[in-house]
Amino acid sequence: MSAPTRPAGLTDDFLEGLVRRVPGRTGATWKLTEVYTGEVLVELPQSTPEDIEDAFARARAAQELWARWPVKKRLEVFHRAHTLLLDNALTTADLIQAESGKNRRMAIEETCDPPMVISHYLKRAAKLLAPTRHGGPIPFVSSSTEVRVPKGVVGIIAPWNFPFATGLSDAIPALMAGNAVVVKPDNKTALSPLFGIRLLEEAGLPPGLFQVVCGEGPDVGPTLIDNADYVMFTGSTATGRVIGERAGRNLIGCCLELGGKNPMIVLDDVDKAEWLESTVFGAFGNTGQICMHIERIYLPESRYDELRSAFVERAASLSIGASYDFGPEIGSLVSPDHMERVASHVADAVGKGATVLTGGKARPDIGPAFFEPTVLEGVTKDMLAGSVETFGPVVGLYPYRSVDEAVRLANDTDYGLNASIWSGNLENAERIAARIESGNVNINDALATAYASKGSPSGGVKSSGVGARHGDQGLLKYTDAKNVAVLKKQVLGARPGQDYDGYVKQMLSSLKLMKKLHVR
């Protein structure tokens, strides 16, 4: 198969202009490659600890002025940014495909995430950031006002699977709240967030407010966390524990969206046609490299053979290829190293008795990191594919006899990021959803509905994370609450000439009366 032609807009000058923003005083670089072919696209500077400290210093200087801008003025930048991001979506998609290898559909859908986040917070940010007046301890003569102030400089460590979405979408509410941002994208996928930041500055974001540093995690992460006032991380549970521990030592907050081994429960009244296409996407979209993608599917024994056959047939029919058009349904994995990891999970499962129903092989004839959509049967918890997040186009099918058994199996994991319930009876599905230990549960969808609902928080439970993105929490986490309390008259204490016993009796009587009158 012939190698795809790189899009004409991704010239050497254009790419070198993007990475010029990244500090790297030693001249050390990392070869950022086009995943489809392995060809080097650009030499990405690698940041030293001193570079990172300087980036935070520049960000802090810019943040002092930005935080003094009225919220309305800050939001005007994002009104303009929304238009620019959409107008440049095709170029962004080209960059995403070149650096990550995903297919065109997923690249385009990824470009939509930051504008969706902007749209949501343009409606909510002013209200969330406005001072909120509360009652004080003494009615009428005291009050308390909740004032939201920015944390300062937020450090964001973004993953490679959705580099543009996580690199920008997690930063947008932080910036709206008055913070500066220092982001560390993965070396493999730094180009699309760099382009997005250029567009934000074109929209009026002050220079210096949004910094980028690059390097391998162990080299860059400690200095970034030690200089940040808050950390947002998306990635593996193992790395999340390390980041959370260091943030805790520094007494700063963090939000961690971590791994998942996400289950789907299919009930016996499911509409097969509707279930099939959504589930194929939920298992194999972005070549299985979605934190919320489905890795375990529980099918009722009464329809197991029917649903298994339909799913395996559709998975086997998925077109896989390297192309900058909408032809292939499945793209590449992000790197040959990750492809080997996925392959090792399949080999381990087969070696311990699982059966490959379709797929199961690398496709070097297409490119260096391609792997076939794979469906397994007979997976057990002593297999990697049965207990550890595979993060590739691999899914296991499991029969169940009762709903109670399905719920128990779905919850039998250390993870709790996403789950899916399928049924023709929504009330029944909602009852089952209430029993699932997961931060997100989709009913009659695999994953997209929960993630795209920007008004509701999205995060994990158990070993899948701490905190959430989206919703009011997704912006307020980047602020501190300052309590400004006012006492209009000095009534907190005994009056002149009043003994303290009399004051105590009066105080206790007043508290009883306030409760009775619902006054606080």
Side-chain angles (χ1 to χ4, degrees), residues 2-319:
S2 60
T5 301
R6 191 200 308 179
L10 303 189
T11 64
D12 291 344
D13 286 345
F14 174 67
L15 300 178
E16 289 167 4
L18 292 179
V19 303
R20 202 170 292 133
R21 169 188 298 273
V22 181
R25 65 185 62 195
T26 66
T29 61
W30 194 86
K31 296 182 187 301
L32 198 158
T33 62
E34 180 187 39
V35 179
Y36 291 149
T37 63
E39 174 191 355
V40 175
L41 291 172
V42 70
E43 298 278 349
L44 180 70
Q46 299 292 276
S47 305
T48 67
E50 293 78 16
D51 292 323
I52 298 165
E53 290 172 351
D54 287 351
F56 272 92
R58 290 191 295 271
R60 288 193 190 283
Q63 190 267 338
E64 289 184 9
L65 176 61
W66 174 250
R68 293 198 294 269
W69 283 26
V71 173
K72 181 179 179 181
K73 184 178 178 181
R74 294 203 296 262
L75 296 183
E76 287 171 356
V77 172
F78 292 95
H79 275 287
R80 296 188 291 269
H82 187 276
T83 299
L84 285 170
L85 290 168
L86 292 178
D87 288 349
N88 289 274
L90 297 182
T91 299
T92 304
D94 290 341
L95 288 167
I96 292 170
Q97 283 197 270
E99 65 189 0
S100 72
K102 64 182 63 180
N103 73 332
R104 189 69 171 176
R105 172 189 169 177
M106 288 305 309
I108 289 291
E109 290 189 4
E110 182 173 351
T111 70
C112 297
D113 193 73
M116 290 174 68
V117 170
I118 289 174
S119 290
H120 172 70
Y121 287 117
L122 284 176
K123 299 181 182 73
R124 291 291 295 161
K127 182 176 182 179
L128 292 173
L129 296 172
T132 303
R133 182 113 173 219
H134 304 289
I138 308 298
F140 311 117
V141 298
S142 66
S143 66
S144 175
T145 301
E146 177 185 340
V147 179
R148 289 287 168 175
V149 296
K151 292 281 189 182
V153 183
V154 174
I156 296 177
I157 302 174
W160 48 256
N161 61 324
F162 285 94
F164 184 73
T166 53
L168 263 67
S169 293
D170 287 331
I172 287 163
L175 292 165
M176 287 181 172
N179 298 283
V181 170
V182 177
V183 66
K184 188 206 87 65
D186 191 280
N187 273 338
K188 295 184 286 295
T189 53
L191 296 175
S192 58
L194 283 165
F195 182 57
I197 295 167
R198 174 186 288 187
L199 295 177
L200 291 183
E201 291 184 349
E202 187 178 335
L205 196 73
L209 191 69
F210 201 154
Q211 297 283 326
V212 184
V213 295
C214 289
E216 292 299 290
D219 300 328
V220 175
T223 306
L224 184 144
I225 297 167
D226 290 346
N227 283 271
D229 300 300
Y230 188 89
V231 175
M232 174 72 209
F233 170 74
T234 305
S236 72
T237 297
T239 303
R241 293 184 193 279
V242 174
I243 291 171
E245 180 181 355
R246 195 171 191 110
R249 290 204 304 268
N250 292 341
L251 295 179
I252 62 171
C254 63
C255 180
L256 310 171
E257 199 230 55
L258 308 177
K261 194 70 180 174
N262 306 306
M264 173 185 286
I265 296 175
V266 183
L267 301 186
D268 58 10
D269 61 353
V270 70
D271 181 304
K272 181 174 69 176
E274 289 189 357
W275 166 77
L276 185 59
E277 287 305 309
S278 176
T279 303
V280 166
F281 175 78
F284 304 121
N286 205 43
T287 322
Q289 299 166 124
I290 304 176
C291 298
M292 294 170 66
H293 97 116
I294 300 300
E295 295 201 4
R296 299 178 289 142
I297 301 177
Y298 296 97
L299 301 173
E301 275 194 349
S302 60
R303 297 185 65 184
Y304 183 81
D305 291 342
E306 170 200 0
L307 297 175
R308 175 186 61 179
S309 296
F311 184 75
V312 171
E313 181 180 354
R314 181 68 182 97
S317 74
L318 290 168
S319 59

Side-chain angles (χ1 to χ4, degrees), residues 341-354:
R341 179 182 185 277
V342 171
S344 73
H345 278 216
V346 174
D348 175 76
V350 171
K352 293 175 179 175

